[in-house]
Amino acid sequence: MDERIQRKVEKLEQQCQKEAKEFAKKVQELQKSNQVAFQHFQELDEHISYVATKVCHLGDQLEGVNTPRQRAVEAQKLMKYFNEFLDGELKSDVFTNSEKIKEAADIIQKLHLIAQELPFDRFSEVKSKIASKYHDLECQLIQEFTSAQRRGEISRMREVAAVLLHFKGYSHCVDVYIKQCQEGAYLRNDIFEDAAILCQRVNKQVGDIFSNPETVLAKLIQNVFEVKLQSFVKDQLEECRKSDAEQYLKNLYDLYTRTTNLSSKLMEFNLGTDKQTFLSKLIKSIFISYLENYIEVETGYLKSRSAMILQRYYDSKNHQKRSIGTGGIQDLKERIRQRTNLPLGPSIDTHGETFLSQEVVVNLLQETKQAFERCHRLSDPSDLPRNAFRIFTILVEFLCIEHIDYALETGLAGIPSSDSKNANLYFLDVVQQANTIFHLFDKQFNDHLMPLISSSPKLSECLQKKKEIIEQMEMKLDTGIDRTLNCMIGQMKHILAAEQKKTDFKPEDENNVLIQYTNACVKVCAYVRKQVEKIKNSMDGKNVDTVLMELGVRFHRLIYEHLQQYSYSCMGGMLAICDVAEYRKCAKDFKIPLVLQLFDTLHALCNLLVVAPDNLKQVCSGEQLANLDKNILHAFVQLRADYRSARLARHFS
């Protein structure tokens, strides 16, 4: 079986080798055939290239012959048409058939160019006829364009515009288009909205009619601005320019804003390379005569308006403003008053009127806010910081100086002397209102002025001016508060002098004392609590604590000095301790640790008035009295009615 399979394998291998040889031979024959075909293809390609070269050469020759021929034919036709003009009779169908106006236009345009080269003396008549026909056809084309526009035939308009493109009257065609576009376009009350809608409609259409749509649209916009808008702006502004400054400024701001908004809408259209500059020039051409002196009108109106607001307020109070002196004498008085706290000049009675009005302030700030807004919109960017500063100085003049500073001066003059009885201490009301007003002023400074000057040298100038105003007002407020505190202490002195009796602390019957504290103490505490509440309502922040601490220290000094005016029996000392305990309770309302500490110490000192002689040294060395000067302790011990007894003097020494 193996031999049989082996023989079969050998037979198949021989057969495979035979077939491989036959296949290799066949492949060689095919390669030879392919080489022959490739050679034939190369020959064919070279032949095709040769024929193509011959054809191109022939074409060039034909074109070289045909072009002059066509030119000659065209020249012949033009000569024919020229002869007709020369003879004075136009017989050709192209001139007599109205449907061939396009061909006639092409011919007459060429004849017109040729006629320009002819000498005038020999061909003046024919040149005149050609020019006349040129003009007639131009008019016909424009008329045809106008009719097509009225019919809304865009394709016909495009066709006629293409023919007119080579005529001198092409610009007139554009003018006609622009004029007819605006017919019936301004039917609403808002001319700016009408203009925007018109430009949007034309922008969609103009590209289908003209080969240079951006130029046509730009010309339409220029016409709208220079004719329609300029006339409208002039009508709105001229009638109130001299008679009503307020209405003039409002109209100018409104019209300029609406014009710039319209310009922003038009920026989305294709108007050429530099449309921003183009639109800016159009706006400037309308408003330049009004913007040149805008800030003079603005500041003049703001001054008169601010003065009127203030005058109307003072008139409502039946108040004639006093002139506040300036210069060397006034400055000297001010320095003396600050250092000595003397009320220089006559004190006036303002009947509790602060002469500060939040309504007046709101009106002044509102007018200034509108002025800042107009200034931002209407000022040239290079002039904006300077113009804003001028408006700010007017606000400072009328709000800070003419109103707040005047009220402070009047309030200072209205503060009575410290020894006046039942004085109306209303200066704290002035402080409260001035503080509220200045917060409003500061808010407008940050919200409306800062954005206009933040990147200019005027920023430091404005901040400096604001700082000077604040310091000037704080100085007067400090002076007024100091003098008011003196008056409060003076009122307490009057109460103590009127209500406190010597018998309060040295009663005739030591065993029948029923009261817990004296009447003078009750009235003083009631008065102090009222003033503390008023101070808290009049100020804010750290100012409350500062003023209350100053009042508390002076209140303590008053009571301390007051108690040293009397001699105390044992029961009288107890009453004094009760009084001081009540004063200390009153001092707690201050919520100032130093003030409470002072009254705690005073309460401990009063214990020296009642303590047994044997315990004096122990009390003096206690926690609250150990650090006090021995003379102070001795002064209190001397107030005891039994001080002169040898026993007490010996114990204390």
Side-chain angles (χ1 to χ4, degrees), residues 4 11 52 81 116 159 404 426 467 555 562 575 632 649:
R4 188 166 56 248
K11 184 179 179 180
Y81 296 134
Q116 303 299 317
E159 183 181 351
I404 303 177
Y426 83 101
K467 181 183 177 183
F555 174 39
H562 173 71
L575 283 174
I632 296 176

Side-chain angles (χ1 to χ4, degrees), residues 70 186 437 445 481 549:
Q70 285 182 340
Y186 305 102
I437 290 170
F445 183 92
I481 292 171
M549 184 169 71

Side-chain angles (χ1 to χ4, degrees), residues 302-303 306-311 313-314 319-326 354-357 360-361 364 393-410 437 469 472-473 476:
L302 186 59
K303 284 181 181 179
S306 301
M308 185 194 74
I309 291 172
L310 289 179
Q311 190 58 49
Y313 167 71
Y314 294 122
H319 176 71
Q320 182 68 37
K321 284 188 75 174
R322 300 181 306 116
S323 61
I324 298 174
T326 57
T354 63
F355 292 109
L356 285 172
S357 167
V360 167
V361 173
L364 289 174
T393 56
I394 294 173
L395 176 64
V396 168
E397 177 186 353
F398 286 93
L399 175 62
C400 298
I401 298 175
E402 292 294 331
H403 192 56
I404 303 177
D405 191 66
Y406 175 76
L408 293 179
E409 285 287 347
T410 305
I437 290 170
I469 289 294
Q472 179 182 343
M473 291 185 180
K476 292 182 180 180

Side-chain angles (χ1 to χ4, degrees), residues 280-343:
S280 297
K281 286 182 178 179
L282 290 178
I283 295 174
K284 188 175 181 180
S285 67
I286 295 176
F287 290 97
I288 186 168
S289 62
Y290 305 107
L291 298 181
E292 283 177 341
N293 67 335
Y294 150 72
I295 194 61
E296 304 301 331
V297 179
E298 183 71 80
T299 52
Y301 166 71
L302 186 59
K303 284 181 181 179
S304 61
R305 178 67 178 170
S306 301
M308 185 194 74
I309 291 172
L310 289 179
Q311 190 58 49
R312 188 169 55 193
Y313 167 71
Y314 294 122
D315 289 345
S316 70
K317 299 292 182 182
N318 292 321
H319 176 71
Q320 182 68 37
K321 284 188 75 174
R322 300 181 306 116
S323 61
I324 298 174
T326 57
I329 299 297
Q330 182 64 22
D331 292 343
L332 178 61
K333 285 184 176 181
E334 185 63 30
R335 285 196 296 270
I336 294 173
R337 184 172 64 184
Q338 290 168 13
R339 294 184 182 182
T340 64
N341 208 25
L342 295 174

Side-chain angles (χ1 to χ4, degrees), residues 317-319 347-355 410-411 413-416 423-427 429-430:
K317 299 292 182 182
N318 292 321
H319 176 71
S347 177
I348 62 172
D349 187 2
T350 58
H351 305 287
E353 179 59 60
T354 63
F355 292 109
T410 305
I415 298 175
N424 181 13
L425 304 179
Y426 83 101
F427 189 80
D429 296 333
V430 177

Side-chain angles (χ1 to χ4, degrees), residues 464-475:
Q464 180 61 30
K465 193 171 188 67
K466 178 185 171 186
K467 181 183 177 183
E468 291 173 358
I469 289 294
I470 293 175
E471 290 175 350
Q472 179 182 343
M473 291 185 180
E474 285 181 344
M475 195 181 300

Side-chain angles (χ1 to χ4, degrees), residues 31-46:
Q31 284 180 339
K32 290 179 181 179
S33 174
N34 184 56
Q35 287 178 351
V36 172
F38 182 72
Q39 186 177 358
H40 288 168
F41 176 76
Q42 283 184 326
E43 292 174 355
L44 181 60
D45 186 54
E46 290 174 359

